[in-house]
Structure formats: structure tokens, C-alpha cells
Amino acid sequence: MTQLFIILFAYFVQFTDKMGSNRVALSDIALEKRTTRGIAIDSLDYAVSPIYIDSLRQTGSRIYHTSRWMNGATIETDSNTIQRIAQWSFVDTVYMTRQEARGERRRGEKARGERRESTWLSDPQTEQLHLHLLHEAGFHGQGVTMAVVDGGFQNVNTLSAFDAVREQIRGIYDTTDDTDSVTGTTGNHGVKCFGTIAAITPEYQGAATAAQYYLIRSEENATESPKEMDNWVAAIELADSLGVDIASTSLGYAMFDDDCFTLSYSDMDGKSTRSSRAATIASRKGMLLVVAAGNEGNQPWHYIASPADADSILTVGAVDMHDSIAGFSSWGPTSDGRVKPEVCARGHQTALINPVDNIVVHSNGTSFACPIVAGMAACLWSALPHATNMEIRQRIIASADRYTAPHPQYGYGIPDAW
């Protein structure tokens, strides 16, 4: 029997300028927030040149998405065509981002050691941050718009755990080329993370149940490739255009199916990858970005991954119920010496909602510590509606229990919401 292999070449094409672009790619809500927060519109807010995109389209290339912040487009095409494109006068650089589709991949941010549990166990993870005191004072994220950028959101449209907040889900988007639907059966990492923020059942209450939400899938199931970082950039730019205040993302990129793309620790400087640069830009545009540190703390690669290395964001590590660091929680600092992670939350035996049957289960991973902190930030922003994203970030960091003596795995420690 002959086995057929389909080689899929994906590239990021970066342009030299934005010729002919006169459209600000922001919603009215986003524009209003920029005005209120005193953030000026600049060239990064203008769409990619429609002339250049049309030129790519005329080659027969498939255009996955564009990036106004990175000024380019992620496309699929053959090697001969990309060589021609690279010679165009308005093309600055071409990067290969995926060489082939492979089988089931190793996921750096997967859930570990899940077990069923039907008792009410969401309180300890909020009480650990003193977040319950904000809840008792009436602050549950109202007035704040959040995005969860992640893998699939299996059954989010039917799970009864989200019945109480369903009208607060303002949109579900997909920046991948996965064939399964965002709410289909092949991915549930995103909905587990979202549940820690928004789920409500008789046994469970999420960290910020009064916010407004956008759910965006950027992670692909078949492969682990740099193209997923481009998907992620597209998702964060989309969140920015929608006027999102806080984005929670439990994804990280360092090791890929094809070793030629694998990053090194020196790349973890907040500047070397497009995803990390985009994360920093998002913060400059007024968004608070909350990112999982990663689950490689006891692996040969034990450092944070992109975009957790970005500047001006909140990177979140994992602790257990006794405030001790989880061994799997990835280490900082960044390769240029900045403290990472910034803070920690419950990521060992975190209580969350099983997306199949609404039962409360336990699972491990910085993936789940991250959205808890994002929910805490939403509640804090509800209490301080005139604060900026950077003020919210700094208050969270300064409240942490190791603020004066940061640690390369704890960061500044466990924050105190109250």
C-alpha cells in the first residue's frame, strides 16, 4: 500500500509599508475606549495594504489571515510561488511557519491528572487570592470585556454551566484552519479555561461571572507549528479591534513538531517572536494580557515560552492549595533578565467544569491558574473602572506576597485581590 503525504507550506509575508491603506481596523467600541484612555491611533491600527493582499491573492495563494501589527499576511502556497513573492519590491521578509501537517502533537499546555469531584471546590482557589472579598463587595467583572484565546470550546453553546452567562458571550471566533467547529468535539482546553472565569452551577462559581466575553480559537489540533503563533497574533488583534479589556490565553510556543522551528531560551526576550511582540503591542493599546507560564518546570526545557516572555503583561505560574509552587510550573526569568512569571495562582488540582457533563473535576496546569488571575483582574477593574490596564497590572503585582523578593518560579508570588 502506498502512503500519501500532503506537504503544506505556510509562510508569513512581511510587507515594507501599508500603501493604499486608509481603514482603521477598530470597532466603534474600541475607538471609544482608546479616546477615553488617551491612547492615540497610529499606523499599527491601520489595516494591511489591500493592494498587497490582492497581489498575493492573484498568485493563487491561500490567505489565512493578515496582521496589521506585524504588517503582513500568513499564507499557504508552493515553494516556487513564494520565491517569486519574496522578490516583490514591497515584500520585506518571508518566514516559513509550517512545513507539513503531522499526527497528534504534544501540547505544552495540556491538562494533567484530571479526576472527578462533585463537591464545591471553586471557593479555595478564589479565597487563595482573597478574591472572594471583592465578590462579597459586589465586584464580579461587570463593565469589563474579556477574551479567552485558546484551543477548542467544546459544548460551550450547550453546557448548562454557562446558561447564566450565555447572553454575555458576545462572539465566538476562529483564526485557525481546523475543519472542526470551535464548539465541536476535538478540543476542550479553551472551554475548561473559560469555565474558571464564567461557569456557574450549584457547586461552582467562576472568578468573574458578570463580565462580557469573546471566545477565540487560535490553536490547531493536527500540528504544533509557528503558524499557530500567527493564528494567535490574529486573535489578539481581533480582540483589540473588538474593544477587549482583558485577554486570557493559556498557550505557549517554544517546541514544534519540526525541530528546525524550535526556539531557544535566548529567544525568550519578549522581542524575538511575533507573538511576544504582539503581546507587548496589545498592552500598549490598553489591553491587559494574562498568559500561562507553561507546564515545563520539571522538563529539560523548563523555561517560560512565547508569549509569556512579553513585556507589560501578566504571566501566571501555578501553586497548590498550600501556596507551594507546582513542580511543573515553568521557570523564568526572561533571557534578558525580567521577572517571570509575575504572579501565581491555583494551578495544582484546580477545580473546573468538565465540558462533557458539567461535573466539577480537578486538573493541573498553569492553564487554569491563568484565567483565575484574569478573572481577578476583571473584578478589580470593576472596582476601579477609571484605572488603566497598566495600573491594574501594577496593583496586582505589588499586592503579591513575594513582591520584595521575587523568585524565578514564583515570580512576585500570590496576589491579594482585596
Side-chain angles (χ1 to χ4, degrees):
M1 174 184 261
T2 301
Q3 187 173 9
L4 299 178
F5 292 88
I6 299 175
I7 307 299
L8 300 174
F9 292 99
Y11 302 89
F12 181 77
V13 180
Q14 185 173 342
F15 302 127
T16 58
D17 55 70
K18 292 187 174 181
M19 186 177 72
S21 177
N22 57 9
R23 180 175 66 87
V24 174
L26 297 173
S27 66
D28 290 342
I29 293 174
L31 286 168
E32 182 181 350
K33 288 184 177 181
R34 293 283 183 87
T35 300
T36 300
R37 295 169 182 171
I39 301 172
I41 301 300
D42 59 26
S43 61
L44 295 178
D45 298 311
Y46 282 85
V48 175
S49 167
I51 300 170
Y52 299 163
I53 296 301
D54 188 57
S55 297
L56 289 176
R57 192 173 285 113
Q58 289 180 23
T59 68
S61 301
R62 176 183 179 183
I63 298 174
Y64 288 114
H65 34 64
T66 64
S67 169
R68 66 183 188 276
W69 290 348
M70 302 296 120
N71 193 23
T74 302
I75 68 171
E76 183 180 297
T77 194
D78 59 80
S79 57
N80 290 329
T81 301
I82 199 64
Q83 288 180 33
R84 288 194 290 112
I85 291 172
Q87 300 304 311
W88 291 350
S89 61
F90 53 83
V91 171
D92 182 272
T93 314
V94 171
Y95 305 89
M96 181 182 286
T97 63
R98 184 175 67 194
Q99 184 165 304
E100 61 180 304
R102 300 191 177 187
E104 185 66 22
R105 61 180 169 84
R106 172 180 174 274
R107 303 177 70 95
E109 273 295 303
K110 67 183 178 181
R112 305 180 183 198
E114 188 168 290
R115 65 180 175 82
R116 288 188 175 276
E117 178 61 68
S118 59
T119 57
W120 190 350
L121 292 172
S122 57
D123 273 357
Q125 59 209 40
T126 55
E127 291 173 356
Q128 186 175 49
L129 307 179
H130 293 172
L131 179 54
H132 66 294
L133 298 177
L134 281 182
H135 290 170
E136 291 169 5
F139 301 110
H140 296 270
Q142 58 268 41
V144 177
T145 302
M146 305 183 71
V148 179
V149 179
D150 213 284
F153 294 90
Q154 180 187 5
N155 296 333
V156 73
N157 54 338
T158 58
L159 283 169
S160 62
F162 300 110
D163 284 351
V165 300
R166 200 167 309 283
E167 296 301 315
Q168 296 157 228
I169 301 175
R170 299 172 63 172
I172 300 175
Y173 297 90
D174 191 357
T175 61
T176 76
D177 58 345
D178 271 358
T179 56
D180 185 49
S181 71
V182 180
T183 60
T185 59
T186 61
N188 58 30
H189 190 260
V191 74
K192 289 178 179 178
C193 294
F194 178 51
T196 66
I197 297 172
I200 300 175
T201 76
E203 299 82 26
Y204 194 94
Q205 181 174 349
T209 55
Q212 302 290 308
Y213 315 105
Y214 288 103
L215 308 180
I216 310 174
R217 177 173 68 178
S218 68
E219 191 78 344
E220 298 181 354
N221 290 314
T223 63
E224 182 80 353
S225 72
K227 178 182 173 291
E228 289 185 302
M229 292 196 287
D230 289 348
N231 297 345
W232 188 89
V233 172
I236 292 299
E237 289 187 20
L238 172 61
D240 172 65
S241 72
L242 293 168
V244 164
D245 300 304
I246 298 172
S248 175
T249 185
S250 295
L251 302 171
Y253 305 102
M255 295 166 284
F256 301 103
D257 294 339
D258 191 328
D259 287 339
C260 74
F261 294 126
T262 293
L263 303 174
S264 66
Y265 177 59
S266 64
D267 292 317
M268 299 301 112
D269 60 358
K271 304 172 184 176
S272 294
T273 67
R274 286 190 292 280
S275 51
S276 296
R277 295 200 304 274
T280 300
I281 291 171
S283 71
R284 303 292 188 263
K285 299 297 183 181
M287 189 188 304
L288 179 61
L289 192 60
V290 187
V291 179
N295 297 333
E296 309 302 325
N298 47 20
Q299 302 296 318
W301 170 281
H302 60 278
Y303 297 108
I304 55 169
S306 174
D309 64 321
D311 187 22
S312 303
I313 69 169
L314 279 176
T315 300
V316 184
V319 293
D320 63 17
M321 64 183 295
H322 303 295
D323 298 350
S324 298
I325 198 72
F328 58 78
S329 189
S330 290
W331 291 67
T334 61
S335 62
D336 60 339
R338 287 174 289 112
V339 173
K340 290 286 179 178
E342 279 87 1
V343 294
C344 289
R346 181 76 173 269
H348 178 267
Q349 292 298 286
T350 309
L352 50 86
I353 299 296
N354 186 308
V356 176
D357 55 16
N358 288 292
I359 298 297
V360 177
V361 297
H362 281 87
S363 199
N364 297 340
T366 60
S367 287
F368 310 123
C370 169
I372 294 173
V373 170
M376 168 187 163
C379 296
L380 184 60
W381 219 336
S382 288
L384 303 169
H386 300 297
T388 67
N389 62 324
M390 296 305 290
E391 288 168 346
I392 295 295
R393 174 182 183 270
Q394 183 55 33
R395 281 176 177 266
I396 290 172
I397 292 172
S399 75
D401 61 357
R402 294 171 180 256
Y403 181 58
T404 58
H407 181 275
Q409 203 172 14
Y410 279 97
Y412 293 106
I414 299 170
D416 186 329
W418 186 248

